[in-house]
Amino acid sequence: MKAKLQETPSPKNLYERVADRIQGSIEQGTLQPGDRLPSVRTLREQMSVSISTVLEAYRLLEDRGAIEARPQSGYFVKSTFLNAPDEPNQSTPPESACAVDASLAFQVSSAIRDPKKVKLGSALPNVELMPLTALNRLMGQVLRRNPILAHAYDTPPGCFELRHEIARRLIDAGCSLAPEQLLVTNGTTEAIHLSLRAVTQPGDTVAIESPTYYGLLESLSSLHLQALELPTHPRDGISLPHLEAALKQQQVAACAIVSNFSNPLGSCMSEQKKQQLVDLCEAYQCPLIEDDIYGDLYFSGKRPKALKAFDRSGLVLYCASYSKTLSPGLRVGWAAPGRYQAKVERLKLVTNQATAVAPQLTLAAFLANGGYDRHLRKLRRAYQGQVMRMTQTIREEFPPQTRVTRPTGGHVLWVELPVGFDAMRLYHEASDRNISIAPGVLFSPSGSYNNCFRLNCGVPWSEEIAEAMKILGSAIAHQFI
Ligand SMILES: Cc1ncc(COP(=O)(O)O)c(C=O)c1O
C-alpha cells in the first residue's frame, strides 16, 4: 500500500481506487482479519491523497463489509471478511427453442411478493431509501398546479416535460435522443411487451439470455412466442458466438437482453461487446429489445453505456423505468423504439391510451430539481453494501460448494449449488418458515436451473435477514447429508 496512486484516467473515483487497493491487500492476505489498518493520516501520506479521500475510502470499505471502525482505536479488517465464493460458470441451456409456459412463474412470483415473508425472493428495491417525502410533496404540487390537466387523457408519446428529462439523463448512457424519440409507458414491463408486439408474430422465436428475468418470460408466454435460451456468462452476459450461430441457422424474430446488471445474473457487457452485439443484430436485421432498468445502479466508476448508444439504424428498442431507483408504484417507464416508434405508439394507444399524467409530471419535477444524482449515490452505495454483506453471509452460512455471482451493480445475487440440489424444495421449506426466495426454474422456459436460486439484496440488512440466511444455509446443507 506504499505507492502513490497515479492520477491516470480511470472510470473510478480516487477514493474507490484507494478502497480497491486496500481490499486487494486484504484479499491477498497482506492484511489479515483483525489487523488494524493504517491511521487516516498515515494512509494520506502513503498514498498522497487527501484526508477526505481516505475517510471516504474507509467508509466505502465499511459499506462493503470489509472493515469496521472501533471507537477510539481506528479501523480494522473484519474477522468475517474473506474472498467471495466462486462464481457460476457460463450457462449451458438446451440448444433448441421452446414454447414458454409461465404458469409456475405467475404462481411463484406472486407468492414471493407476500409482504409477511422475509423478502429475499422478489427483486424489490429499497423503498425506505427512496426520496418519498420529496416525491409526495412534488405530487401535491403537481395536482395543485395542474388541477385539470392532471385528470385529462394524455396521448402517446406522453408528457414532454418528462421525456425531456429522460433524454437529458440518457446522455450518461451514451445515447443522444430527442424527447420526440421517447415514449412514456407503464413501467419497463409495458415497454418490453409493446416492443415484443411490434416486432413479432405469434409462433416466432425470440433469443434470450439464460437464465433471464421471469417477467420477460411471462410476456413471451402471453404473446405465444417461442424462447431460444442462449448460454450466458454471469460477468459479461450472452454468448455472441451462440447468438451468431442461431441467427445463421434459424429465423429469430428478435433478441431480448437485460443489458446492464441483468436480472438474475447481474452480468454487464463491456462496451466492445455491446458494439459487437448491436453490429451482429444489424447484420442479420434482428430487432434488439434492450431492458436497461438497472443501468443507473452501478457500484463504481461511471454509468455503463446502453446498447442503444451503439444503434445506428434504429434496430434497438430501448426500455427502462424509474422502478428500481425512485418508485416502482408510480409505474413510469419509457421506450425509445427506434424505427418501430410509430408502431409502438399505436400499440400503446390501443392498449391503455396513455400513462397517468400526475406520476409523469411528478417524476419530471424531481428529475429537473437536480436531486436525482445525489439520491443515486446514496442508493448505489446502500445496494453495494447489501450485496457484499449478503455475499459474505453466503460464505459463512451456506455449504462450501455454493457458487454466487459477483455483480458490479443492481441488487440481486444468483446462487448455484451442485446439480442434484433441489431449489423448489428449498423454496417450499423456506416458505414454511416465512422466507421467500426465487427458485431458479422461474428464470428458464426449459425448466433448467433447479440447482439455483436468486436472492434479493434490495432490502436493508436486519437481524431478520441474518436469521433467514442461517435458516436457508442449514436447509441447503441438509440436502447434502
Ligand atoms: C430486468 C427487469 N425488467 C423489468 C422489471 C419490471 O420493471 P417495471 O417495474 O419498470 O415494470 C424488473 C423488475 O424486477 C426487472 O428486474
Side-chain angles (χ1 to χ4, degrees), residues 48-162:
S48 305
V49 293
S50 68
I51 293 230
S52 63
T53 300
V54 175
L55 283 172
E56 196 68 3
Y58 277 178
R59 248 176 258 133
L60 181 60
L61 286 166
E62 273 186 286
D63 285 351
R64 289 180 184 173
I67 67 169
E68 63 191 345
R70 293 189 196 151
Q72 268 117 49
S73 312
Y75 289 90
F76 292 81
V77 180
K78 266 182 129 173
S79 55
T80 49
F81 186 78
L82 292 160
N83 285 339
D86 286 344
E87 285 173 290
N89 294 321
Q90 176 165 289
S91 63
T92 51
E95 283 173 13
S96 45
C98 63
V100 185
D101 175 1
S103 43
L104 182 69
F106 274 121
Q107 197 188 320
V108 173
S109 64
S110 45
I112 61 181
R113 278 185 220 122
D114 180 350
K116 291 192 291 299
K117 295 207 161 70
V118 185
K119 299 178 192 64
L120 302 178
S122 277
L124 287 175
N126 185 348
V127 277
E128 285 170 40
L129 284 175
M130 301 302 178
L132 300 187
T133 311
L135 288 172
N136 290 340
R137 183 174 41 79
L138 288 169
M139 175 85 89
Q141 262 175 28
V142 160
L143 292 172
R144 275 196 304 279
R145 288 183 188 164
N146 306 279
I148 298 172
L149 180 74
H151 295 280
Y153 276 126
D154 191 14
T155 47
C159 294
F160 180 83
E161 293 89 328
L162 176 63

Side-chain angles (χ1 to χ4, degrees), residues 123 186-189 192 213 258 263 291 293-294 321 323-324 331:
N186 292 332
T188 318
T189 305
I192 291 173
Y213 169 53
V258 185
N263 176 3
D291 176 347
I293 191 170
Y294 294 104
S321 76
S323 289
K324 303 295 173 181
R331 303 307 302 134

Side-chain angles (χ1 to χ4, degrees), residues 383-397:
Y383 285 152
Q384 182 181 28
Q386 283 160 209
V387 165
M388 304 265 315
R389 189 135 195 198
M390 193 73 105
T391 307
Q392 285 306 311
T393 310
I394 289 171
R395 191 182 166 98
E396 287 153 30
E397 304 291 349

